[in-house]
């Protein structure tokens, strides 16, 4: 289990690098808001706002809405505030899994953060309880097939005990099960996006600086020979250094269907 302290540490330590390495999170944010029939919203909360990239998109799309945003990591929130000066967004540091989130909102949105919640079902319930009667919960999150090539390569070269934290993320079925009985309308879809990297180190840097490392490689550091062996195996098996990102997109509307 990844602790909250680890999550906070990962995002705090590399907060200033996040925007340079969050290409896939940016992709997910664009996809999340792509649906033109989403409707209009006047009171919005962004959960796990990070450096404010989804928050800014929400501001562009809903210029007159009241927007609040919350994140566990003070360094991420400090950057978000700096980037969003003059945009009239109320950022706060806090744990979205517990405590009063304010509201009620007609939209609670989140990009690439729900996979980090310790108790996904409880947090979904918590968010729903801060929505208006017909409010919408809209989020993207990474699924367990994320970094599957890296997981397979690590097991093949270093053995079963070294794995990636993403393997423990919830899948689409679990997300749907958390929501089904609690909302009137539910849509869960998934997408897999594959990226190539010039080297294994480039992939590992992206994982580290985008905060997606979780507990790292089961808390293990790699030496030069291991990196070479992993890279060799990667090329033999996949022909390149590739990484799959499994992205789940969820739209849930409270109230009758
Ligand atoms: C991958 S970043 C995504 C940031 C932003 N939403 C984006 O689209 O770029 C995930 C964020 O979730 C935040 N987070 C993780 N657990 C959280 C929690 N329990 N409460 C609030 N924020 C949390 C992290 O601090 C991090 O900033």
């Amino acid at each position: 289990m990844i602790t909250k302290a680890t999550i906070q540490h990962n995002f705090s330590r590399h907060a200033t690098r996040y925007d340079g390495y969050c290409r896939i999170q940016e992709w997910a944010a664009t996809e999340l808001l792509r649906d033109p029939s989403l409707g209009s919203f006047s009171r919005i909360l962004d959960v796990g706002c990070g450096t404010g990239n989804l928050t800014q998109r929400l501001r562009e799309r809903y210029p007159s809405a009241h927007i609040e945003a919350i994140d566990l990591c003070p360094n991420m929130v400090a950057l978000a505030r700096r980037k969003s000066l003059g945009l009239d967004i109320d950022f706060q540091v806090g744990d979205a899994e517990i405590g009063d989130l304010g509201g009620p909102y007609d939209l609670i949105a989140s990009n690439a953060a729900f996979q980090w919640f310790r108790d996904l079902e409880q947090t979904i319930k918590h968010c729903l309880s801060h929505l208006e009667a017909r409010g919408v919960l809209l989020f993207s999150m990474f699924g367990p097939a994320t970094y599957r090539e890296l997981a397979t390569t690590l097991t093949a070269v270093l053995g079963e005990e070294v794995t990636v934290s993403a393997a423990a993320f919830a899948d689409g079925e679990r997300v749907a099960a958390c929501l089904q009985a609690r909302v009137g309308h539910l849509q869960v879809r998934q997408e897999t996006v594959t990226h190539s990297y010039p080297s294994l180190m480039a992939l590992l840097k992206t994982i580290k600086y985008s905060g997606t490392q979780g507990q790292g490689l089961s808390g293990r550091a790699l030496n030069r020979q291991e990196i070479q062996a992993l890279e060799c195996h990667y090329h033999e098996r996949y022909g390149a250094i590739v990484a799959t990102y499994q992205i789940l997109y969820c739209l849930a509307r409270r109230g009758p269907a």
Side-chain angles (χ1 to χ4, degrees):
M1 168 76 73
I2 304 163
T3 65
K4 234 156 242 200
T6 301
I7 293 167
Q8 207 172 24
H9 173 80
N10 289 344
F11 284 105
S12 280
R13 199 159 160 228
H14 304 297
T16 52
R17 300 206 197 227
Y18 178 80
D19 281 349
Y21 285 85
C22 67
R23 201 167 132 212
I24 190 73
Q25 288 81 359
E26 288 279 23
W27 168 279
T30 305
E31 285 299 305
L32 189 65
L33 297 182
R34 189 179 289 285
D35 183 355
S37 66
L38 253 184
S40 69
F41 302 100
S42 59
R43 191 142 192 214
I44 300 173
L45 174 68
D46 180 4
V47 165
C49 63
T51 59
N53 295 333
L54 178 69
T55 336
Q56 289 192 358
R57 286 163 194 260
L58 289 165
R59 170 50 77 223
E60 274 164 37
R61 180 139 175 185
Y62 304 108
S64 56
H66 171 82
I67 302 184
E68 295 179 37
I70 182 169
D71 197 282
L72 187 63
C73 175
N75 292 3
M76 297 293 262
V77 171
L79 282 166
R81 281 198 183 112
R82 214 175 305 154
K83 280 167 59 183
S84 307
L85 275 180
L87 291 184
D88 191 22
I89 297 167
D90 183 3
F91 289 99
Q92 54 171 302
V93 177
D95 183 346
E97 294 202 67
I98 50 172
D100 188 1
L101 298 176
Y105 303 97
D106 50 9
L107 174 66
I108 295 183
S110 177
N111 185 49
F114 269 49
Q115 70 278 353
W116 297 122
F117 294 147
R118 190 167 26 199
D119 188 336
L120 181 65
E121 183 163 15
Q122 196 50 43
T123 308
I124 283 175
K125 261 169 75 180
H126 190 51
C127 287
L128 292 175
S129 74
H130 288 80
L131 279 176
E132 283 176 0
R134 296 281 290 160
V136 169
L137 176 60
L138 177 74
F139 63 89
S140 72
M141 61 180 273
F142 291 118
T146 300
Y147 300 133
R148 65 182 173 210
E149 299 86 357
L150 178 60
T152 305
T153 303
L154 285 166
T155 303
V157 176
L158 301 175
E160 291 287 334
E161 73 279 6
V162 186
T163 188
V164 296
S165 295
F169 292 163
D171 62 14
E173 273 180 33
R174 165 127 174 73
V175 173
C178 291
L179 277 154
Q180 223 128 39
R182 300 190 166 101
V183 295
H185 169 81
L186 176 63
Q187 194 183 309
V188 180
R189 70 179 174 93
Q190 80 171 43
E191 171 186 44
T192 49
V193 179
T194 305
H195 272 276
S196 295
Y197 294 85
S199 65
L200 182 64
M201 284 313 287
L203 168 60
L204 295 178
K205 258 191 191 172
T206 299
I207 295 174
K208 187 171 178 177
Y209 296 146
S210 65
T212 42
Q213 78 209 69
Q215 280 167 313
L217 304 175
S218 310
R220 200 174 182 289
L222 299 174
N223 63 37
R224 189 193 294 249
Q225 282 89 344
E226 286 172 334
I227 289 173
Q228 274 173 358
L230 289 165
E231 208 152 30
C232 214
H233 185 276
Y234 233 114
H235 279 287
E236 271 167 23
R237 180 150 185 172
Y238 301 106
I241 307 293
V242 290
T244 286
Y245 293 86
Q246 181 184 34
I247 313 171
L248 309 176
Y249 298 96
C250 176
L251 185 153
R253 190 181 295 276
R254 283 192 67 200

